[in-house]
Amino acid sequence: MQISSLDILRCPYCGGRLELVTSLFHRRDGDEIHDGILGCQCCIFGIVDGIPVMHLGDDSTAARDHVQAGRPDLARRTLFSLADAAQAARFDEIAASTTSTYRDVVDVLGPSFEGGYFLYRFSDPTYIVADAVVRAVAGTVLSGGGRAIDVCGGSGHLTRTLSGLTSEPPVLADLYFSKIWLARRFTSPGCEAVCCDGNSPLPFRRGAFRYAMCTDAFMFIWTKRQLVGELARLIDDGRGDGALLVGHTHNERTWSPSHGQPLSQDGYRDLFETMEPRIFGEAGLFADVVKGGPLDLSRHDSRDAIDADPALTIIASPHPGVFAPHALSHKPAADGAYRVNPLYVAERTGDRVTLRLRFPDDDYEDEYGACREYLPAEIALDASALAALADGRLTTELRGLVERRVILHLPSRYY
Ligand SMILES: [Zn+2]
């Protein structure tokens, strides 16, 4: 973590400022703190691999004790739950390598981690809607400066979207150390990551951000009222033109897989005490993205349409530019390269290459089959275009396929 991030960090329990305890073990390289102990008035927290661990679960206090004892390697193993010695050694080897990928780490952590579909995340229907909404809302409110935070952001796929929108690095917060470690290393390099619990007060000062979001996780939060209050507190920067986004949260009125504990539209609305939220059914936003835009946030979905939609997007912002139609942006992130979507299998005949859409299994098709609405079943290209792509060049022909998500801009070390 950057030493300057201590300006926005606060203890989740006493609200006090935190200092690096320089009398205890720490490793610092210029402005970057790699490992160490942070102290406030009520307790101490560990920093492991540049990530402050701002809660007091059993693993985090054990990891903090390892840091204090000068063993940050054991702290990281603890936070990754690597109890098996051979697995831990293999993990350390991959973590030390400068050429390892996100997929290598996922492979070492085993099938219980992340599920199997991370590879296809950047073109799944939930992601493409969230990406468009984040670009529209965060792009609008951050155009005059300010900082963004992705709360419960997991392994940082949408933090990556935020990274192109501000000069200051976005902050990614999540309960799971392993996920934000992956984000910092691979998905959204350069983000600041903070390990904390979305069911507790968030460890940041009031007004530290102009944009705060929680996407695809809110239905799993028990203390929903507190979290909305916390997100509103984080964007209370005195200007009053920030935005709060709760993206892809499930709907109490319509069942969906991994349902969580969702609320109805009225239940969600009641969580917002200081701001007036607008609630969208995701189906309308998805249709906007599939037809190539604009993403129309000026719409007012009917109560019936919202009740019938399994997933909702909730936006609260006084900024006049937010609730308007937004052209879709495909501006690539700072880090990464264009590659063929891994859902396609290539077959070459002479100078032509045919790309065929192939799902990894039936479960994927059941859950994400709506991607057929934008991913063509089959597409033929000049082999020279794909050769140019391998050299990092995007021909005019392939540029159109970026909009279809046949060609994706992926992190450099993804798979
Ligand atoms: Zn404290």
Side-chain angles (χ1 to χ4, degrees):
M1 69 178 289
Q2 293 283 313
I3 195 96
S4 59
S5 293
L6 292 176
D7 287 343
I8 59 168
L9 205 62
R10 294 290 182 274
C11 170
Y13 309 115
C14 73
R17 291 187 72 101
L18 292 136
E19 303 283 349
L20 180 67
V21 184
T22 51
S23 59
L24 296 173
F25 174 85
H26 63 284
R27 291 190 302 177
R28 190 177 154 175
D29 183 6
D31 291 336
E32 185 76 22
I33 310 169
H34 292 294
D35 308 280
I37 300 292
L38 290 173
C40 61
Q41 292 189 41
C42 76
C43 48
I44 57 172
F45 302 93
I47 304 171
V48 180
D49 267 10
I51 300 172
V53 183
M54 304 301 295
H55 57 87
L56 299 175
D58 290 346
D59 276 359
S60 24
T61 50
R64 182 192 69 194
D65 293 347
H66 283 309
V67 174
Q68 236 181 309
R71 292 298 304 271
D73 54 329
L74 297 183
R76 186 172 68 189
R77 286 185 181 191
T78 302
L79 291 168
F80 269 90
S81 307
L82 294 165
D84 176 78
Q87 187 193 24
R90 177 84 188 110
F91 176 85
D92 287 349
E93 199 179 300
I94 282 175
S97 156
T98 53
T99 56
S100 60
T101 63
Y102 187 107
R103 183 183 211 164
D104 293 334
V105 175
V106 171
D107 285 348
V108 170
L109 296 177
S112 60
F113 180 80
E114 277 277 296
Y117 297 147
F118 72 91
L119 205 52
Y120 316 109
R121 182 79 45 85
F122 288 107
S123 67
D124 78 38
T126 306
Y127 174 83
I128 69 161
V129 171
D131 177 63
V133 172
V134 170
R135 285 173 189 259
V137 179
T140 299
V141 303
L142 296 171
S143 61
R147 199 162 183 178
I149 182 165
D150 182 3
V151 174
C152 306
S155 36
H157 292 82
L158 288 168
T159 318
R160 180 177 170 78
T161 302
L162 291 174
S163 70
L165 300 176
T166 55
S167 50
E168 281 195 278
V171 173
L172 166 63
D174 198 277
L175 181 60
Y176 297 102
F177 181 88
S178 50
K179 294 188 176 186
I180 58 181
W181 187 93
L182 279 165
R184 240 170 90 80
R185 172 86 47 129
F186 302 111
T187 332
S188 186
C191 76
E192 283 284 80
V194 175
C195 192
C196 62
D197 186 354
N199 285 295
S200 291
L202 298 175
F204 304 97
R205 72 165 164 80
R206 177 177 294 273
F209 303 94
R210 193 162 299 159
Y211 172 86
M213 70 174 181
C214 173
T215 287
D216 203 0
F218 192 74
M219 56 277 184
F220 304 119
I221 294 289
W222 178 243
T223 54
K224 292 180 176 65
R225 179 185 180 202
Q226 173 179 263
L227 182 54
V228 168
E230 282 294 277
L231 296 173
R233 181 179 67 81
L234 297 193
I235 61 165
D236 180 16
D237 67 353
R239 288 171 46 116
D241 60 357
L244 189 170
L245 165 70
V246 174
H248 193 86
T249 188
H250 291 159
N251 185 355
E252 185 261 335
R253 296 295 162 87
T254 300
W255 186 85
S256 51
S258 51
H259 201 50
Q261 301 98 36
L263 303 179
S264 66
Q265 56 182 309
D266 291 330
Y268 283 122
R269 210 175 288 282
D270 287 346
L271 300 173
F272 290 75
E273 294 182 304
T274 57
M275 306 172 86
E276 179 65 35
R278 197 180 293 193
I279 303 181
F280 301 89
E282 217 167 84
L285 304 176
F286 178 69
D288 284 356
V289 174
V290 168
K291 74 174 164 57
L295 181 77
D296 187 6
L297 298 182
S298 73
R299 62 155 50 84
H300 290 271
D301 286 342
S302 71
R303 288 185 63 81
D304 287 349
I306 295 172
D307 273 347
D309 204 311
L312 308 177
T313 286
I314 307 168
I315 303 169
S317 176
H319 193 296
V322 168
F323 297 108
H326 297 266
L328 296 187
S329 158
H330 297 279
K331 186 178 164 230
D335 159 80
Y338 287 106
R339 296 177 73 174
V340 174
N341 185 327
L343 285 172
Y344 283 89
V345 177
E347 189 183 312
R348 182 163 178 164
T349 318
D351 292 340
R352 302 288 284 173
V353 175
T354 304
L355 300 177
R356 289 196 180 82
L357 182 63
R358 192 168 297 164
F359 294 122
D361 52 42
D362 293 345
D363 287 345
Y364 185 89
E365 190 166 5
D366 283 348
E367 192 165 354
Y368 301 111
C371 67
R372 284 189 190 282
E373 292 189 38
Y374 46 93
L375 295 176
E378 192 174 302
I379 196 157
L381 298 167
D382 269 338
S384 61
L386 289 184
L389 187 69
D391 288 338
R393 282 178 297 119
L394 203 57
T395 61
T396 315
E397 185 180 21
L398 293 189
R399 210 166 283 280
L401 294 183
V402 172
E403 288 165 30
R404 300 291 303 272
R405 273 106 184 156
V406 176
I407 304 292
L408 299 173
H409 192 263
L410 296 174
S412 330
R413 288 164 59 193
Y414 199 54
Y415 69 93

PDB file of all heavy atoms in Angstrom, residues 33-65:
ATOM      1  N   ILE A  33       4.418   0.408   1.389  1.00  0.00           N
ATOM      2  CA  ILE A  33       4.591  -0.474   2.556  1.00  0.00           C
ATOM      3  C   ILE A  33       4.247  -1.897   2.123  1.00  0.00           C
ATOM      4  O   ILE A  33       3.127  -2.155   1.664  1.00  0.00           O
ATOM      5  CB  ILE A  33       3.670  -0.072   3.730  1.00  0.00           C
ATOM      6  CG1 ILE A  33       3.773   1.426   4.031  1.00  0.00           C
ATOM      7  CG2 ILE A  33       4.003  -0.882   4.977  1.00  0.00           C
ATOM      8  CD1 ILE A  33       2.701   1.930   5.000  1.00  0.00           C
ATOM      9  N   HIS A  34       5.199  -2.817   2.236  1.00  0.00           N
ATOM     10  CA  HIS A  34       4.939  -4.210   1.844  1.00  0.00           C
ATOM     11  C   HIS A  34       4.295  -5.010   2.983  1.00  0.00           C
ATOM     12  O   HIS A  34       3.326  -5.729   2.785  1.00  0.00           O
ATOM     13  CB  HIS A  34       6.243  -4.898   1.426  1.00  0.00           C
ATOM     14  CG  HIS A  34       6.809  -4.346   0.156  1.00  0.00           C
ATOM     15  ND1 HIS A  34       6.172  -4.487  -1.041  1.00  0.00           N
ATOM     16  CD2 HIS A  34       7.935  -3.635  -0.092  1.00  0.00           C
ATOM     17  CE1 HIS A  34       6.886  -3.884  -1.993  1.00  0.00           C
ATOM     18  NE2 HIS A  34       7.958  -3.356  -1.438  1.00  0.00           N
ATOM     19  N   ASP A  35       4.906  -4.909   4.159  1.00  0.00           N
ATOM     20  CA  ASP A  35       4.388  -5.652   5.318  1.00  0.00           C
ATOM     21  C   ASP A  35       4.600  -4.785   6.546  1.00  0.00           C
ATOM     22  O   ASP A  35       5.537  -3.994   6.587  1.00  0.00           O
ATOM     23  CB  ASP A  35       5.156  -6.969   5.525  1.00  0.00           C
ATOM     24  CG  ASP A  35       5.223  -7.813   4.271  1.00  0.00           C
ATOM     25  OD1 ASP A  35       4.229  -8.497   3.977  1.00  0.00           O
ATOM     26  OD2 ASP A  35       6.261  -7.755   3.575  1.00  0.00           O
ATOM     27  N   GLY A  36       3.776  -4.995   7.551  1.00  0.00           N
ATOM     28  CA  GLY A  36       3.963  -4.237   8.782  1.00  0.00           C
ATOM     29  C   GLY A  36       2.725  -4.283   9.651  1.00  0.00           C
ATOM     30  O   GLY A  36       1.794  -5.065   9.397  1.00  0.00           O
ATOM     31  N   ILE A  37       2.725  -3.424  10.657  1.00  0.00           N
ATOM     32  CA  ILE A  37       1.623  -3.367  11.614  1.00  0.00           C
ATOM     33  C   ILE A  37       1.112  -1.928  11.668  1.00  0.00           C
ATOM     34  O   ILE A  37       1.891  -0.989  11.771  1.00  0.00           O
ATOM     35  CB  ILE A  37       2.116  -3.785  13.027  1.00  0.00           C
ATOM     36  CG1 ILE A  37       2.665  -5.229  13.027  1.00  0.00           C
ATOM     37  CG2 ILE A  37       0.997  -3.629  14.053  1.00  0.00           C
ATOM     38  CD1 ILE A  37       1.642  -6.314  12.810  1.00  0.00           C
ATOM     39  N   LEU A  38      -0.214  -1.786  11.553  1.00  0.00           N
ATOM     40  CA  LEU A  38      -0.845  -0.481  11.674  1.00  0.00           C
ATOM     41  C   LEU A  38      -1.498  -0.389  13.046  1.00  0.00           C
ATOM     42  O   LEU A  38      -2.147  -1.344  13.491  1.00  0.00           O
ATOM     43  CB  LEU A  38      -1.929  -0.305  10.603  1.00  0.00           C
ATOM     44  CG  LEU A  38      -1.467  -0.168   9.152  1.00  0.00           C
ATOM     45  CD1 LEU A  38      -2.683  -0.174   8.220  1.00  0.00           C
ATOM     46  CD2 LEU A  38      -0.651   1.101   8.948  1.00  0.00           C
ATOM     47  N   GLY A  39      -1.360   0.740  13.698  1.00  0.00           N
ATOM     48  CA  GLY A  39      -1.978   0.911  15.017  1.00  0.00           C
ATOM     49  C   GLY A  39      -2.903   2.109  15.053  1.00  0.00           C
ATOM     50  O   GLY A  39      -2.640   3.125  14.413  1.00  0.00           O
ATOM     51  N   CYS A  40      -4.042   1.967  15.785  1.00  0.00           N
ATOM     52  CA  CYS A  40      -4.933   3.102  16.059  1.00  0.00           C
ATOM     53  C   CYS A  40      -5.020   3.209  17.579  1.00  0.00           C
ATOM     54  O   CYS A  40      -4.149   2.713  18.286  1.00  0.00           O
ATOM     55  CB  CYS A  40      -6.305   2.858  15.449  1.00  0.00           C
ATOM     56  SG  CYS A  40      -7.097   1.393  16.120  1.00  0.00           S
ATOM     57  N   GLN A  41      -6.085   3.816  18.099  1.00  0.00           N
ATOM     58  CA  GLN A  41      -6.194   3.925  19.556  1.00  0.00           C
ATOM     59  C   GLN A  41      -6.705   2.646  20.198  1.00  0.00           C
ATOM     60  O   GLN A  41      -6.503   2.431  21.390  1.00  0.00           O
ATOM     61  CB  GLN A  41      -7.140   5.070  19.917  1.00  0.00           C
ATOM     62  CG  GLN A  41      -6.559   6.410  19.553  1.00  0.00           C
ATOM     63  CD  GLN A  41      -7.407   7.551  20.102  1.00  0.00           C
ATOM     64  OE1 GLN A  41      -7.889   7.493  21.227  1.00  0.00           O
ATOM     65  NE2 GLN A  41      -7.578   8.576  19.305  1.00  0.00           N
ATOM     66  N   CYS A  42      -7.382   1.789  19.413  1.00  0.00           N
ATOM     67  CA  CYS A  42      -8.001   0.620  20.053  1.00  0.00           C
ATOM     68  C   CYS A  42      -7.326  -0.702  19.715  1.00  0.00           C
ATOM     69  O   CYS A  42      -7.426  -1.648  20.474  1.00  0.00           O
ATOM     70  CB  CYS A  42      -9.499   0.556  19.724  1.00  0.00           C
ATOM     71  SG  CYS A  42      -9.946  -0.024  18.082  1.00  0.00           S
ATOM     72  N   CYS A  43      -6.675  -0.826  18.564  1.00  0.00           N
ATOM     73  CA  CYS A  43      -6.081  -2.132  18.252  1.00  0.00           C
ATOM     74  C   CYS A  43      -4.987  -2.007  17.206  1.00  0.00           C
ATOM     75  O   CYS A  43      -4.639  -0.905  16.770  1.00  0.00           O
ATOM     76  CB  CYS A  43      -7.142  -3.149  17.829  1.00  0.00           C
ATOM     77  SG  CYS A  43      -8.306  -2.590  16.592  1.00  0.00           S
ATOM     78  N   ILE A  44      -4.441  -3.146  16.788  1.00  0.00           N
ATOM     79  CA  ILE A  44      -3.441  -3.156  15.721  1.00  0.00           C
ATOM     80  C   ILE A  44      -3.882  -4.118  14.631  1.00  0.00           C
ATOM     81  O   ILE A  44      -4.578  -5.104  14.882  1.00  0.00           O
ATOM     82  CB  ILE A  44      -2.025  -3.525  16.242  1.00  0.00           C
ATOM     83  CG1 ILE A  44      -2.019  -4.892  16.942  1.00  0.00           C
ATOM     84  CG2 ILE A  44      -1.474  -2.440  17.151  1.00  0.00           C
ATOM     85  CD1 ILE A  44      -0.620  -5.390  17.298  1.00  0.00           C
ATOM     86  N   PHE A  45      -3.501  -3.793  13.387  1.00  0.00           N
ATOM     87  CA  PHE A  45      -3.871  -4.574  12.209  1.00  0.00           C
ATOM     88  C   PHE A  45      -2.599  -4.887  11.413  1.00  0.00           C
ATOM     89  O   PHE A  45      -1.663  -4.087  11.416  1.00  0.00           O
ATOM     90  CB  PHE A  45      -4.809  -3.771  11.307  1.00  0.00           C
ATOM     91  CG  PHE A  45      -6.080  -3.308  11.975  1.00  0.00           C
ATOM     92  CD1 PHE A  45      -6.157  -2.060  12.578  1.00  0.00           C
ATOM     93  CD2 PHE A  45      -7.206  -4.125  11.995  1.00  0.00           C
ATOM     94  CE1 PHE A  45      -7.336  -1.626  13.182  1.00  0.00           C
ATOM     95  CE2 PHE A  45      -8.385  -3.696  12.596  1.00  0.00           C
ATOM     96  CZ  PHE A  45      -8.448  -2.442  13.189  1.00  0.00           C
ATOM     97  N   GLY A  46      -2.616  -6.014  10.701  1.00  0.00           N
ATOM     98  CA  GLY A  46      -1.460  -6.375   9.890  1.00  0.00           C
ATOM     99  C   GLY A  46      -1.576  -5.827   8.471  1.00  0.00           C
ATOM    100  O   GLY A  46      -2.675  -5.625   7.949  1.00  0.00           O
ATOM    101  N   ILE A  47      -0.406  -5.578   7.846  1.00  0.00           N
ATOM    102  CA  ILE A  47      -0.344  -5.329   6.396  1.00  0.00           C
ATOM    103  C   ILE A  47       0.427  -6.508   5.818  1.00  0.00           C
ATOM    104  O   ILE A  47       1.541  -6.801   6.262  1.00  0.00           O
ATOM    105  CB  ILE A  47       0.423  -4.040   6.052  1.00  0.00           C
ATOM    106  CG1 ILE A  47      -0.179  -2.838   6.763  1.00  0.00           C
ATOM    107  CG2 ILE A  47       0.458  -3.806   4.542  1.00  0.00           C
ATOM    108  CD1 ILE A  47       0.682  -1.584   6.625  1.00  0.00           C
ATOM    109  N   VAL A  48      -0.184  -7.195   4.864  1.00  0.00           N
ATOM    110  CA  VAL A  48       0.443  -8.393   4.295  1.00  0.00           C
ATOM    111  C   VAL A  48       0.494  -8.228   2.776  1.00  0.00           C
ATOM    112  O   VAL A  48      -0.547  -7.996   2.145  1.00  0.00           O
ATOM    113  CB  VAL A  48      -0.367  -9.658   4.665  1.00  0.00           C
ATOM    114  CG1 VAL A  48       0.279 -10.912   4.072  1.00  0.00           C
ATOM    115  CG2 VAL A  48      -0.495  -9.795   6.178  1.00  0.00           C
ATOM    116  N   ASP A  49       1.681  -8.334   2.197  1.00  0.00           N
ATOM    117  CA  ASP A  49       1.856  -8.144   0.745  1.00  0.00           C
ATOM    118  C   ASP A  49       1.214  -6.838   0.273  1.00  0.00           C
ATOM    119  O   ASP A  49       0.566  -6.793  -0.783  1.00  0.00           O
ATOM    120  CB  ASP A  49       1.248  -9.326  -0.039  1.00  0.00           C
ATOM    121  CG  ASP A  49       2.289 -10.407  -0.323  1.00  0.00           C
ATOM    122  OD1 ASP A  49       3.401 -10.316   0.248  1.00  0.00           O
ATOM    123  OD2 ASP A  49       2.002 -11.330  -1.098  1.00  0.00           O
ATOM    124  N   GLY A  50       1.362  -5.795   1.063  1.00  0.00           N
ATOM    125  CA  GLY A  50       0.848  -4.483   0.667  1.00  0.00           C
ATOM    126  C   GLY A  50      -0.635  -4.288   0.887  1.00  0.00           C
ATOM    127  O   GLY A  50      -1.195  -3.288   0.438  1.00  0.00           O
ATOM    128  N   ILE A  51      -1.297  -5.242   1.559  1.00  0.00           N
ATOM    129  CA  ILE A  51      -2.748  -5.151   1.767  1.00  0.00           C
ATOM    130  C   ILE A  51      -3.039  -5.034   3.273  1.00  0.00           C
ATOM    131  O   ILE A  51      -2.764  -5.975   4.034  1.00  0.00           O
ATOM    132  CB  ILE A  51      -3.465  -6.390   1.194  1.00  0.00           C
ATOM    133  CG1 ILE A  51      -3.200  -6.497  -0.315  1.00  0.00           C
ATOM    134  CG2 ILE A  51      -4.965  -6.334   1.497  1.00  0.00           C
ATOM    135  CD1 ILE A  51      -3.712  -7.790  -0.943  1.00  0.00           C
ATOM    136  N   PRO A  52      -3.591  -3.899   3.735  1.00  0.00           N
ATOM    137  CA  PRO A  52      -3.981  -3.817   5.147  1.00  0.00           C
ATOM    138  C   PRO A  52      -5.186  -4.723   5.415  1.00  0.00           C
ATOM    139  O   PRO A  52      -6.147  -4.720   4.637  1.00  0.00           O
ATOM    140  CB  PRO A  52      -4.332  -2.339   5.341  1.00  0.00           C
ATOM    141  CG  PRO A  52      -4.594  -1.787   3.986  1.00  0.00           C
ATOM    142  CD  PRO A  52      -3.852  -2.647   2.991  1.00  0.00           C
ATOM    143  N   VAL A  53      -5.099  -5.495   6.482  1.00  0.00           N
ATOM    144  CA  VAL A  53      -6.180  -6.437   6.818  1.00  0.00           C
ATOM    145  C   VAL A  53      -6.940  -5.841   7.998  1.00  0.00           C
ATOM    146  O   VAL A  53      -6.521  -5.944   9.150  1.00  0.00           O
ATOM    147  CB  VAL A  53      -5.609  -7.833   7.148  1.00  0.00           C
ATOM    148  CG1 VAL A  53      -6.740  -8.819   7.425  1.00  0.00           C
ATOM    149  CG2 VAL A  53      -4.743  -8.331   5.988  1.00  0.00           C
ATOM    150  N   MET A  54      -8.072  -5.172   7.681  1.00  0.00           N
ATOM    151  CA  MET A  54      -8.749  -4.308   8.640  1.00  0.00           C
ATOM    152  C   MET A  54      -9.948  -4.988   9.297  1.00  0.00           C
ATOM    153  O   MET A  54     -11.020  -4.398   9.419  1.00  0.00           O
ATOM    154  CB  MET A  54      -9.194  -3.020   7.941  1.00  0.00           C
ATOM    155  CG  MET A  54      -8.072  -2.255   7.245  1.00  0.00           C
ATOM    156  SD  MET A  54      -6.758  -1.762   8.360  1.00  0.00           S
ATOM    157  CE  MET A  54      -7.660  -0.618   9.383  1.00  0.00           C
ATOM    158  N   HIS A  55      -9.783  -6.236   9.696  1.00  0.00           N
ATOM    159  CA  HIS A  55     -10.804  -6.856  10.531  1.00  0.00           C
ATOM    160  C   HIS A  55     -10.120  -7.842  11.459  1.00  0.00           C
ATOM    161  O   HIS A  55      -8.918  -8.091  11.334  1.00  0.00           O
ATOM    162  CB  HIS A  55     -11.920  -7.507   9.697  1.00  0.00           C
ATOM    163  CG  HIS A  55     -11.458  -8.540   8.730  1.00  0.00           C
ATOM    164  ND1 HIS A  55     -11.293  -9.856   9.080  1.00  0.00           N
ATOM    165  CD2 HIS A  55     -11.097  -8.449   7.430  1.00  0.00           C
ATOM    166  CE1 HIS A  55     -10.883 -10.544   8.027  1.00  0.00           C
ATOM    167  NE2 HIS A  55     -10.749  -9.714   7.010  1.00  0.00           N
ATOM    168  N   LEU A  56     -10.875  -8.386  12.412  1.00  0.00           N
ATOM    169  CA  LEU A  56     -10.247  -9.173  13.472  1.00  0.00           C
ATOM    170  C   LEU A  56     -10.747 -10.616  13.472  1.00  0.00           C
ATOM    171  O   LEU A  56     -10.961 -11.212  14.513  1.00  0.00           O
ATOM    172  CB  LEU A  56     -10.492  -8.504  14.838  1.00  0.00           C
ATOM    173  CG  LEU A  56      -9.917  -7.083  14.975  1.00  0.00           C
ATOM    174  CD1 LEU A  56     -10.321  -6.459  16.307  1.00  0.00           C
ATOM    175  CD2 LEU A  56      -8.393  -7.091  14.844  1.00  0.00           C
ATOM    176  N   GLY A  57     -10.944 -11.194  12.287  1.00  0.00           N
ATOM    177  CA  GLY A  57     -11.264 -12.614  12.202  1.00  0.00           C
ATOM    178  C   GLY A  57     -10.078 -13.445  12.691  1.00  0.00           C
ATOM    179  O   GLY A  57      -8.966 -12.920  12.848  1.00  0.00           O
ATOM    180  N   ASP A  58     -10.318 -14.739  12.929  1.00  0.00           N
ATOM    181  CA  ASP A  58      -9.244 -15.596  13.463  1.00  0.00           C
ATOM    182  C   ASP A  58      -8.025 -15.601  12.549  1.00  0.00           C
ATOM    183  O   ASP A  58      -6.881 -15.493  13.002  1.00  0.00           O
ATOM    184  CB  ASP A  58      -9.758 -17.030  13.631  1.00  0.00           C
ATOM    185  CG  ASP A  58     -10.771 -17.120  14.769  1.00  0.00           C
ATOM    186  OD1 ASP A  58     -10.846 -16.151  15.554  1.00  0.00           O
ATOM    187  OD2 ASP A  58     -11.472 -18.147  14.857  1.00  0.00           O
ATOM    188  N   ASP A  59      -8.257 -15.744  11.224  1.00  0.00           N
ATOM    189  CA  ASP A  59      -7.141 -15.795  10.287  1.00  0.00           C
ATOM    190  C   ASP A  59      -6.377 -14.466  10.270  1.00  0.00           C
ATOM    191  O   ASP A  59      -5.155 -14.453  10.161  1.00  0.00           O
ATOM    192  CB  ASP A  59      -7.641 -16.093   8.862  1.00  0.00           C
ATOM    193  CG  ASP A  59      -7.827 -17.594   8.651  1.00  0.00           C
ATOM    194  OD1 ASP A  59      -7.551 -18.365   9.592  1.00  0.00           O
ATOM    195  OD2 ASP A  59      -8.244 -17.971   7.539  1.00  0.00           O
ATOM    196  N   SER A  60      -7.121 -13.357  10.364  1.00  0.00           N
ATOM    197  CA  SER A  60      -6.416 -12.065  10.270  1.00  0.00           C
ATOM    198  C   SER A  60      -5.584 -11.782  11.510  1.00  0.00           C
ATOM    199  O   SER A  60      -4.487 -11.232  11.394  1.00  0.00           O
ATOM    200  CB  SER A  60      -7.368 -10.916   9.969  1.00  0.00           C
ATOM    201  OG  SER A  60      -8.651 -11.191  10.360  1.00  0.00           O
ATOM    202  N   THR A  61      -6.079 -12.182  12.687  1.00  0.00           N
ATOM    203  CA  THR A  61      -5.244 -11.939  13.878  1.00  0.00           C
ATOM    204  C   THR A  61      -4.046 -12.897  13.891  1.00  0.00           C
ATOM    205  O   THR A  61      -2.945 -12.504  14.270  1.00  0.00           O
ATOM    206  CB  THR A  61      -6.060 -12.065  15.179  1.00  0.00           C
ATOM    207  OG1 THR A  61      -6.789 -13.285  15.155  1.00  0.00           O
ATOM    208  CG2 THR A  61      -7.040 -10.924  15.339  1.00  0.00           C
ATOM    209  N   ALA A  62      -4.246 -14.133  13.398  1.00  0.00           N
ATOM    210  CA  ALA A  62      -3.103 -15.076  13.307  1.00  0.00           C
ATOM    211  C   ALA A  62      -2.067 -14.526  12.323  1.00  0.00           C
ATOM    212  O   ALA A  62      -0.859 -14.570  12.578  1.00  0.00           O
ATOM    213  CB  ALA A  62      -3.591 -16.452  12.863  1.00  0.00           C
ATOM    214  N   ALA A  63      -2.542 -14.002  11.190  1.00  0.00           N
ATOM    215  CA  ALA A  63      -1.628 -13.445  10.191  1.00  0.00           C
ATOM    216  C   ALA A  63      -0.878 -12.240  10.763  1.00  0.00           C
ATOM    217  O   ALA A  63       0.325 -12.076  10.562  1.00  0.00           O
ATOM    218  CB  ALA A  63      -2.420 -13.032   8.948  1.00  0.00           C
ATOM    219  N   ARG A  64      -1.600 -11.391  11.486  1.00  0.00           N
ATOM    220  CA  ARG A  64      -0.971 -10.217  12.111  1.00  0.00           C
ATOM    221  C   ARG A  64       0.146 -10.650  13.073  1.00  0.00           C
ATOM    222  O   ARG A  64       1.226 -10.061  13.099  1.00  0.00           O
ATOM    223  CB  ARG A  64      -2.053  -9.442  12.876  1.00  0.00           C
ATOM    224  CG  ARG A  64      -1.592  -8.173  13.541  1.00  0.00           C
ATOM    225  CD  ARG A  64      -2.651  -7.670  14.486  1.00  0.00           C
ATOM    226  NE  ARG A  64      -2.808  -8.546  15.648  1.00  0.00           N
ATOM    227  CZ  ARG A  64      -3.828  -8.516  16.501  1.00  0.00           C
ATOM    228  NH1 ARG A  64      -4.805  -7.652  16.315  1.00  0.00           N
ATOM    229  NH2 ARG A  64      -3.879  -9.332  17.531  1.00  0.00           N
ATOM    230  N   ASP A  65      -0.109 -11.731  13.830  1.00  0.00           N
ATOM    231  CA  ASP A  65       0.920 -12.216  14.756  1.00  0.00           C
ATOM    232  C   ASP A  65       2.150 -12.707  13.991  1.00  0.00           C
ATOM    233  O   ASP A  65       3.279 -12.524  14.433  1.00  0.00           O
ATOM    234  CB  ASP A  65       0.351 -13.338  15.642  1.00  0.00           C
ATOM    235  CG  ASP A  65      -0.729 -12.808  16.594  1.00  0.00           C
ATOM    236  OD1 ASP A  65      -0.844 -11.567  16.723  1.00  0.00           O
ATOM    237  OD2 ASP A  65      -1.469 -13.633  17.178  1.00  0.00           O
TER     238      ASP A  65
END
